[in-house]
Amino acid sequence: MQKIFLQLLFCLCFSLPTEVFSQDSVKRSFSDSLFVSAKDSLLVKDTLSNRTTRFDADFPSLEELIRKGKTFSLLANEIRIELQDKLDTIRFHEEIPEMEETLRALENRVKTPNTKFNFRYILALERILGSIKENNQELDQLAQSRLDRLQYLDSTLRAIKRDDFFLYKLRDTTLLTAYSDEIQNLRINIHYLDSTIYQQELLAATYQAKLSRITIGLLELERYVDTNKTFLEKNLLKKEINYFWETYDIPSPKSILDITKESLSLNFFFLKRQLFLHPSLSIFSVLVLLIGYLALKRIVLKISKDKEFGAIILGRTNYLKNQVLATTMMAVLPLVFFLFDTGSIALLTFFIYLQVIFSTILIFSRFKLSSALKWLVLVFAFVFVSISNLYWEIAYQERMYFQISNLIYLFLLWQIPKKFESDDANEVLFLNKLKLLTMIFLISGFLANVLGRFSLAKILSVAGTVGFIYGVCMYFFVKAVMEIIYILLENRKGTDDLTSFLDFQAIQKRSRSLFLFLAVFFWLIIFLHNLALSDYVGELLTEILSTERSLGEATFTFGGILLFLGLVYASFIIANNLAYFISLKDQKKTDTRSKKLGSSVLLIRLGVLTVGFIIAATAAKIPLDKITIVLGALSVGIGFGLQTIINNLVSGVILAFERPIQIGDDIEVGTLTGKVKEVGIRASKIQAYDGSEIVVPNGELLSRSLINWTLSDKKRRIELLIGVSYDSDMNKVRELIEKVLDKEEILKYPAPRVLMQNFNESSVDFRILLWIESMDTMLDVRNKVMSDIFEAFNNNHIKIPYPQRDLYIKEVPKFNLEEKDSENDENKKSSE
């Protein structure tokens, strides 16, 4: 634009007379020479927009028009750039037809005459409609936000078109060609943008119309669901079919085979929809399973090639050594399932089938054939029940099949404590508890079926059957995870397979409870889902946890309190396990004390607990200022009743900073000696040399004299006191002892010393001082040195005397033998 302005000034300087530059004639010269209107009147026809505009008395300045042109060009370019970011039509093209197809299928099912849908179908339909409604609202919001933005751009474009800028044109367009070209390009650009906005508005409005039709269909189906759900809930416990001993008189418009085919077809459609709704998630799940299997397969092959320990290591596993694929799937599949929508009965059944298949493989590879065959019979009954669970309508024709299935299950479950054999007592205990719960539901379902409560009977029977099968799958889930942890530890270690196995035993105790909790949690979700109570329980818990309550002026929710306690407990678990693994690593670093974290683990634990507490308070929306008030109030109690605890806590922090002891140090506190096993927040654990564990408050470690035998190094001096007889050759004795002390285990510096110590009553005592590299070998070295000295003395006839005393009898007392014999004769007669 500056170039245009310079061209204009250049033309004016060489074509206009001098008086043109006077102040009064500038505007008149511009208007007379550069701009022209269609007519001499004040009304001018706008050729772009076909509107009329009244000119002001004076024409605008050239600088103003150039500035407007630049501003409008920038606005037009911004609008063009924004229009290039079009609506995501791919998602609309894919999801709208899919939702329409799903609604058509559901509407056709609903409109089918003489069809009575079951409670599970109504709940599944409610869940599917909720998913479609959520997706429909999301797409509608995208379309509406795009329409709102297009309307804003259109209003901006209309404002540009209405501006008087386009009402003026140069009298001679050859004077400023760049300016004229810019105006022309701006006109073309505005026309293009106007057309593009219209097309995009039309496209978004079309999508909105389709989404509106889907919304109408959703409303109709939701009314149908609400009506039937209320009816089924009211009549769930009522008699709906004849008693079992009565004549069957309910018409069956469809055969059981037709119902099965239709239900499987519809469920397969929803399964595909669920898996392909989020293809990235499905691909990620497959990759996790594949990578996990390949990694474990490589580790197992690596361990099996170890000729020395490979067979021993793999021999400690029950499943992973022979069935890597099945073990991996059992460990990962339950976790992968919860990445998807757990409300889909088709997807739920699909994942349970996968777990049942791999559990069957593990059972056949581990247990006796008779037990495996019984399990196979239970699986066949489960397949029938699970397929029946997929039915979308009530089929009274399967009533007898359910009774037979329940009887078979009850018979096999009753034999578990008699026929089932296992080396692990926990397996029998687990199966007994699961058996008892399953039998309660199967017997209840059997009785409800006999009494004509078919829907209730089916729900109870399905819950019992699927619950037992999935409970066994969760058992193998825990077993598989434990074996994988063990194999990973063995793969990580360098040598000494026994150490890793002992580590695994300790780690298993800490991690087993976590995975048992996960297994119970997974099983409970599936169990509630089969009881058709998952939605109800979820809504009830949400209401209880999210309802705001008040206590005085303070407000709280149970969910916030539960979240706070859960995060604090999680931080406590993380801190304890972190300290355990660090101490486990430190205990193996016997020669590198400086590289140990030692008592600094306490600072790490305190840091984790502090951060966890702050995160928990923030997540639970607990104001920190109120926490400080509570802590201030607690300080009064601390001053009176918690002095000892606070003293131990502060002492622990001092121990962490000064580091007078480390994990693995050999210490002596008063009469207590042993190896430091753990430095805790309140107290520390010392493992005595006899195996006992001593809990010592941290305050005592600071207040009492502490001897650390391994503070600087692990060298230890051994002191022996040996006595020889006065008749021995003392030089020979010294020579023999010095010869015995010439061993690799004994340090040359400081050199061992043999000192004549005392002249006792019966011996001459020698004091022997020697140093060893590590006090861990003190007992062995002491034993060897004393044995060798005794043998050397014995071979060289040097006596080690024992205390002797000489007794001098000054007078022997008189003793009358005749009187004694007469007394003995009298005693014999009296006894006879």
Side-chain angles (χ1 to χ4, degrees):
M1 302 303 294
Q2 293 178 352
K3 183 178 179 181
I4 298 172
F5 184 66
L6 292 174
Q7 291 178 355
L8 178 61
L9 292 177
F10 180 81
C11 296
L12 291 175
C13 291
F14 288 93
S15 62
L16 296 176
T18 306
E19 56 271 13
V20 170
F21 292 97
S22 63
Q23 187 174 0
D24 296 333
S25 61
V26 172
K27 293 181 181 179
R28 186 173 59 253
S29 301
F30 283 169
S31 59
D32 291 342
S33 61
L34 294 179
F35 301 110
V36 65
S37 59
K39 296 182 180 180
D40 293 336
S41 63
L42 295 179
L43 290 175
V44 179
K45 185 74 171 181
D46 187 353
T47 58
L48 181 63
S49 59
N50 295 323
R51 61 186 177 88
T52 59
T53 303
R54 184 172 298 275
F55 281 114
D56 294 334
D58 296 325
F59 286 96
S61 65
L62 181 60
E63 294 86 344
E64 183 181 352
L65 292 175
I66 292 174
R67 186 169 58 253
K68 279 189 175 183
K70 182 178 180 180
T71 302
F72 293 159
S73 296
L74 290 174
L75 284 174
N77 288 331
E78 291 178 0
I79 294 173
R80 178 187 289 271
I81 293 172
E82 190 165 352
L83 289 176
Q84 290 176 356
D85 186 15
K86 299 180 180 179
L87 193 65
D88 186 12
T89 56
I90 297 177
R91 182 179 176 185
F92 282 86
H93 279 302
E94 291 178 352
E95 297 185 9
I96 287 179
E98 184 178 351
M99 289 189 293
E100 291 175 342
E101 182 180 0
T102 303
L103 287 179
R104 279 196 299 270
L106 295 177
E107 288 173 352
N108 291 334
R109 297 284 300 177
V110 168
K111 295 177 180 178
T112 303
N114 299 325
T115 301
K116 188 177 181 181
F117 297 108
N118 57 28
F119 195 69
R120 179 168 301 283
Y121 170 77
I122 295 300
L123 294 178
L125 185 59
E126 184 180 31
R127 194 175 296 110
I128 292 171
L129 293 179
S131 175
I132 295 175
K133 183 178 181 180
E134 182 180 353
N135 194 26
N136 183 70
Q137 290 177 348
E138 185 178 351
L139 293 177
D140 186 68
Q141 289 177 358
L142 290 176
Q144 186 59 47
S145 61
R146 186 60 180 173
L147 277 175
D148 294 339
R149 189 59 187 170
L150 289 173
Q151 290 176 1
Y152 171 77
L153 296 178
D154 186 53
S155 62
T156 304
L157 198 62
R158 285 199 302 269
I160 295 175
K161 291 162 59 177
R162 290 196 192 98
D163 196 87
D164 293 341
F165 171 76
F166 296 101
L167 299 179
Y168 302 99
K169 61 181 180 179
L170 295 173
R171 187 183 299 275
D172 188 357
T173 57
T174 59
L175 293 178
L176 294 174
T177 56
Y179 176 79
S180 300
D181 293 341
E182 184 177 2
I183 299 302
Q184 185 62 25
N185 291 334
L186 183 59
R187 292 177 183 272
I188 296 173
N189 197 10
I190 289 174
H191 179 72
Y192 167 77
L193 295 176
D194 194 14
S195 176
T196 304
I197 289 174
Y198 174 75
Q199 292 175 0
Q200 292 193 11
E201 285 180 337
L202 184 61
L203 180 63
T206 303
Y207 287 141
Q208 269 200 329
K210 293 181 179 180
L211 294 172
S212 298
R213 288 195 294 269
I214 293 175
T215 302
I216 295 173
L218 283 172
L219 292 175
E220 294 178 354
L221 288 174
E222 284 178 349
R223 282 195 295 269
Y224 173 84
V225 167
D226 292 338
T227 303
N228 284 271
K229 183 179 179 181
T230 304
F231 175 78
L232 290 174
E233 288 177 348
K234 291 181 178 179
N235 295 275
L236 183 62
L237 300 178
K238 295 181 179 180
K239 178 184 176 183
E240 58 183 305
I241 194 175
N242 59 292
Y243 293 121
F244 203 75
W245 57 84
E246 295 177 349
T247 306
Y248 181 77
D249 56 358
I250 297 180
S252 301
K254 294 181 182 179
S255 65
I256 191 70
L257 184 61
D258 293 335
I259 295 175
T260 303
K261 288 181 179 179
E262 291 180 5
S263 299
L264 290 178
S265 176
L266 192 59
N267 280 278
F268 183 70
F269 167 76
F270 287 119
L271 176 62
K272 288 193 301 181
R273 179 180 179 274
Q274 188 69 29
L275 292 176
F276 294 106
L277 183 62
H278 303 288
S280 58
L281 185 59
S282 301
I283 295 173
F284 172 76
S285 302
V286 173
L287 289 177
V288 168
L289 294 171
L290 182 61
I291 293 173
Y293 164 69
L294 294 177
L296 283 176
K297 184 69 175 178
R298 183 181 63 83
I299 293 173
V300 171
L301 289 176
K302 178 183 175 181
I303 294 176
S304 62
K305 292 179 181 178
D306 187 351
K307 297 180 180 180
E308 185 176 2
F309 297 120
I312 298 175
I313 295 172
L314 293 179
R316 291 170 178 159
T317 63
N318 295 323
Y319 308 103
L320 196 58
K321 59 184 176 182
N322 297 322
Q323 300 294 338
V324 180
L325 177 62
T327 307
T328 306
M329 296 299 107
M330 287 307 303
V332 182
L333 274 174
L335 303 175
V336 170
F337 167 67
F338 284 90
L339 296 176
F340 295 87
D341 178 18
T342 57
S344 173
I345 184 63
L347 187 67
L348 172 66
T349 306
F350 172 71
F351 271 93
I352 293 179
Y353 275 1
L354 291 178
Q355 295 176 62
V356 169
I357 291 172
F358 292 116
S359 297
T360 304
I361 295 174
L362 295 180
I363 288 174
F364 271 89
S365 66
R366 175 76 174 87
F367 297 95
K368 293 182 179 180
L369 183 60
S370 58
S371 300
L373 291 176
K374 289 183 176 64
W375 164 258
L376 206 58
V377 175
L378 293 176
V379 169
F380 284 140
F382 157 76
V383 171
F384 159 72
V385 171
S386 60
I387 292 177
S388 174
N389 195 34
L390 297 175
Y391 288 176
W392 291 79
E393 54 189 273
I394 297 177
Y396 295 112
Q397 303 92 317
E398 57 180 348
R399 184 183 187 185
M400 181 62 70
Y401 302 132
F402 261 100
Q403 297 295 73
I404 296 174
S405 173
N406 287 347
L407 290 176
I408 293 174
Y409 244 83
L410 289 171
F411 174 74
L412 294 176
L413 292 178
W414 183 257
Q415 290 186 328
I416 283 182
K418 300 177 182 178
K419 303 294 183 180
F420 182 77
E421 297 179 0
S422 176
D423 298 331
D424 190 355
N426 291 327
E427 291 182 353
V428 180
L429 180 63
F430 164 77
L431 284 178
N432 282 333
K433 291 181 178 179
L434 187 61
K435 176 203 74 171
L436 179 61
L437 181 64
T438 304
M439 291 181 69
I440 292 174
F441 276 88
L442 291 181
I443 293 173
S444 300
F446 184 88
L447 295 177
N449 200 349
V450 170
L451 297 175
R453 276 72 175 173
F454 176 74
S455 297
L456 178 62
K458 184 173 181 178
I459 291 175
L460 295 175
S461 301
V462 169
T465 304
V466 179
F468 179 81
I469 293 294
Y470 197 71
V472 174
C473 292
M474 288 298 97
Y475 169 80
F476 285 110
F477 162 71
V478 176
K479 284 287 187 181
V481 171
M482 291 295 101
E483 290 194 1
I484 290 174
I485 291 176
Y486 170 61
I487 288 296
L488 292 177
L489 286 174
E490 290 294 344
N491 182 61
R492 179 184 57 83
K493 72 167 182 66
T495 56
D496 189 9
D497 63 302
L498 181 60
T499 303
S500 287
F501 183 69
L502 294 177
D503 293 346
F504 167 70
Q505 298 295 324
I507 292 172
Q508 186 184 40
K509 292 180 181 178
R510 291 177 170 268
S511 58
R512 186 180 181 86
S513 57
L514 172 63
F515 291 104
L516 282 175
F517 170 78
L518 288 177
V520 172
F521 178 72
F522 294 161
W523 180 86
L524 189 60
I525 291 178
I526 303 300
F527 190 69
L528 290 175
H529 198 287
N530 287 312
L531 280 176
L533 294 176
S534 57
D535 294 338
Y536 174 75
V537 172
E539 293 174 359
L540 181 63
L541 289 176
T542 302
E543 182 180 356
I544 293 174
L545 296 177
S546 60
T547 302
E548 200 170 84
R549 293 170 171 83
S550 60
L551 183 62
E553 296 181 356
T555 58
F556 66 95
T557 61
F558 288 138
I561 295 175
L562 187 63
L563 179 62
F564 176 79
L565 296 177
L567 290 176
V568 170
Y569 179 74
S571 63
F572 179 77
I573 295 297
I574 292 172
N576 284 346
N577 283 278
L578 190 62
Y580 169 76
F581 286 111
I582 292 175
S583 62
L584 190 67
K585 189 175 182 181
D586 281 352
Q587 289 175 6
K588 296 181 181 180
K589 295 180 180 178
T590 56
D591 299 328
T592 56
R593 188 179 189 276
S594 59
K595 295 182 180 180
K596 294 181 179 180
L597 289 174
S599 55
S600 299
V601 175
L602 177 59
L603 296 178
I604 297 175
R605 292 179 66 181
L606 289 175
V608 172
L609 290 175
T610 303
V611 173
F613 181 81
I614 295 174
I615 293 175
T618 305
K621 298 180 180 179
I622 299 176
L624 296 179
D625 55 347
K626 295 184 178 180
I627 295 177
T628 57
I629 295 173
V630 175
L631 293 178
L634 288 176
S635 63
V636 178
I638 291 172
F640 290 98
L642 303 178
Q643 291 181 10
T644 305
I645 296 176
I646 297 301
N647 177 39
N648 292 328
L649 175 61
V650 175
S651 299
V653 175
I654 295 174
L655 289 175
F657 278 104
E658 292 187 356
R659 303 180 71 181
I661 61 173
Q662 296 277 51
I663 294 174
D665 285 353
D666 292 275
I667 66 172
E668 182 176 343
V669 183
T671 60
L672 304 176
T673 58
K675 190 182 293 292
V676 178
K677 186 177 181 181
E678 179 184 344
V679 180
I681 296 176
R682 186 194 65 84
S684 300
K685 289 183 181 179
I686 300 175
Q687 187 170 20
Y689 298 123
D690 60 359
S692 62
E693 291 187 357
I694 307 169
V695 179
V696 182
N698 291 332
E700 291 190 17
L701 295 177
L702 288 182
S703 61
R704 303 177 66 178
S705 297
L706 172 67
I707 299 174
N708 191 336
W709 294 103
T710 56
L711 181 62
S712 301
D713 52 46
K714 300 197 71 175
K715 293 179 181 178
R716 179 71 183 267
R717 192 185 73 174
I718 300 177
E719 181 176 349
L720 300 175
L721 196 64
I722 298 177
V724 296
S725 66
Y726 279 91
D727 297 335
S728 303
D729 184 354
M730 300 305 164
N731 292 327
K732 183 66 174 177
V733 170
R734 185 185 298 275
E735 181 183 348
L736 290 175
I737 294 175
E738 290 177 348
K739 186 177 180 180
V740 169
L741 296 179
D742 187 15
K743 298 179 180 297
E744 293 182 358
E745 297 89 347
I746 300 175
L747 296 177
K748 301 300 185 290
Y749 181 82
R753 304 182 67 186
V754 181
L755 305 172
M756 188 177 288
Q757 181 77 4
N758 288 319
F759 295 107
N760 281 332
E761 295 178 357
S762 59
S763 66
V764 178
D765 294 339
F766 282 86
R767 185 185 182 194
I768 303 171
L769 303 175
L770 58 100
W771 288 85
I772 57 176
E773 183 66 33
S774 175
M775 67 175 297
D776 296 334
T777 61
M778 183 181 69
L779 294 178
D780 294 334
V781 174
R782 183 187 181 93
N783 173 66
K784 187 172 180 58
V785 168
M786 293 185 68
S787 299
D788 291 347
I789 289 176
F790 181 83
E791 186 177 354
F793 284 1
N794 189 37
N795 293 336
N796 290 275
H797 306 288
I798 295 175
K799 296 181 179 180
I800 300 175
Y802 48 86
Q804 298 180 1
R805 294 189 182 274
D806 295 331
L807 298 177
Y808 297 93
I809 302 175
K810 293 183 178 180
E811 182 180 359
V812 178
K814 295 180 180 181
F815 194 74
N816 193 342
L817 295 178
E818 293 180 356
E819 293 180 358
K820 186 66 176 175
D821 291 338
S822 63
E823 290 179 0
N824 290 336
D825 292 338
E826 291 178 359
N827 291 333
K828 288 181 180 180
K829 290 179 180 180
S830 62
S831 62
E832 291 177 357

